[in-house]
Amino acid sequence: MTDAFGTPYSNDPVDLKYMQLAIEQANKSIPAPQAYCVGAALVSDDGRLLSTGFSRELKGNTHAEECALAKVAGDDLSNATMYTTMEPCSIRLSGNRSCTSRILEANIKRVVLGVREPPHLVNCEGVQLLEREGVKVLVVPDVQEACLAPNQHILSKQ
């Protein structure tokens, strides 16, 4: 099974477990007018939680994936999985480096997301860019509502 864009679903219980953790992180994010509330979890290939992050957790208009990566800077992440409630950004309104580029620079080879980025702020191409570079991208089904819930400050205005 795939999503509407052809990205494969993951029904692995481990993926659901860490997506639920990422959703908990997203709910910690304080809404900002022009930014989504996203949560992330970075997990080793043996299932060990390496770090978590949420939007604006760290100083400097930070994104969830950026925060999770900053906490393990310098570590070998080539066998890690990045769980994120929303598609990693491919462009940022702030002009900061995208989460997609950060994931690629960290050499992460597997990304699991909850929902594609809605087109309300930018036209995101994170999944396409990751897949083009050989990153395996999967979607956890049936979590979209929970992933979008912290973002009503943007979604309800459209």
Side-chain angles (χ1 to χ4, degrees), residues 35-114:
Y36 289 113
C37 295
V38 178
L42 193 55
V43 178
S44 68
D45 62 338
D46 64 0
R48 190 172 36 91
L49 180 66
L50 300 173
S51 67
T52 59
F54 59 88
S55 300
R56 296 167 297 286
E57 177 184 9
L58 302 176
K59 189 176 179 179
N61 187 31
T62 53
H63 285 195
E65 301 93 332
E66 178 182 4
C67 293
L69 287 166
K71 294 173 186 175
V72 293
D75 288 4
D76 177 7
L77 301 175
S78 59
N79 292 313
T81 296
M82 175 67 78
Y83 293 88
T84 179
T85 57
M86 192 176 286
E87 177 178 15
C89 68
S90 58
I91 188 169
R92 292 181 65 170
L93 294 175
S94 66
N96 292 336
R97 282 190 10 245
S98 72
C99 292
T100 298
S101 66
R102 292 172 191 274
I103 289 168
L104 292 171
E105 288 168 13
N107 204 27
I108 293 171
K109 300 294 184 204
R110 187 171 185 269
V111 174
V112 179
L113 58 107

